[in-house]
Amino acid sequence: MRLKGDDQSKRRARRLRRKMSLPEVLLWQQLRQSPGGHRFRRQHPAGPYDLDFYCAPQRLAIEIDGEAHDYGDRPMRDAERDAWLEGQGVRVLRIPAKAVLTDLDAVIRLILASLQPPPPRPAGAVPLPRSDAPREE
């Protein structure tokens, strides 16, 4: 399933590409080089939202959060946005803007680690019980 935006979010995404914040510009300079062979899009329209960065094959959205995301109704709006994206099968990785400015290499490593599939279970391994599954006593 392809993640698309409406006409309004497409127009907004074009405008946002021209007005990226410094942390977004710095991260984009790295992501546009396809680290680990992964291609990214910047300011990708997704439904009513615009994703800072998006890796379509892995269905991973990367959001760079400045301090404003900690105040007012922003945490609630971010949670609603993340829930909508997760409902579309998109994982969301939120990274503080300060982390991009202070340790860009660590941010790139975190993103690449997030793109890796989980390691396969060894043959004969028993899966752990889910926390929501009823327990036998």
Side-chain angles (χ1 to χ4, degrees), residues 71-83:
Y71 301 105
D73 68 342
R74 284 307 292 262
M76 182 183 68
R77 288 174 38 206
D78 287 345
E80 289 173 359
R81 172 189 177 115
D82 292 354

Side-chain angles (χ1 to χ4, degrees), residues 2-108:
R2 193 164 163 219
L3 190 62
K4 296 181 182 180
D6 57 25
D7 289 341
Q8 183 178 0
S9 65
K10 288 177 186 178
R11 284 191 299 276
R12 190 174 50 247
R14 280 188 210 106
R15 192 171 54 251
L16 289 171
R17 284 183 202 115
R18 293 188 295 267
K19 295 183 176 186
M20 292 172 63
S21 68
L22 178 60
E24 290 171 338
V25 169
L26 294 173
L27 185 56
W28 177 240
Q29 288 173 343
Q30 297 298 309
L31 294 180
R32 70 187 306 184
Q33 296 175 25
S34 301
H38 299 283
R39 293 190 59 207
F40 293 87
R41 298 174 185 162
R42 63 186 170 132
Q43 301 301 334
H44 178 74
Y49 304 109
D50 295 299
L51 309 177
D52 290 342
F53 302 99
Y54 182 58
C55 181
Q58 296 286 327
R59 299 191 65 79
L60 177 70
I62 301 167
E63 291 295 312
I64 306 303
D65 291 345
E67 287 184 12
H69 286 264
D70 296 333
Y71 301 105
D73 68 342
R74 284 307 292 262
M76 182 183 68
R77 288 174 38 206
D78 287 345
E80 289 173 359
R81 172 189 177 115
D82 292 354
W84 185 87
L85 289 165
E86 288 171 11
Q88 305 301 308
V90 176
R91 292 176 296 136
V92 180
L93 178 62
R94 291 194 167 274
I95 300 173
K98 189 173 185 177
V100 175
L101 294 171
T102 58
D103 196 351
L104 184 56
D105 289 336
V107 169
I108 296 297

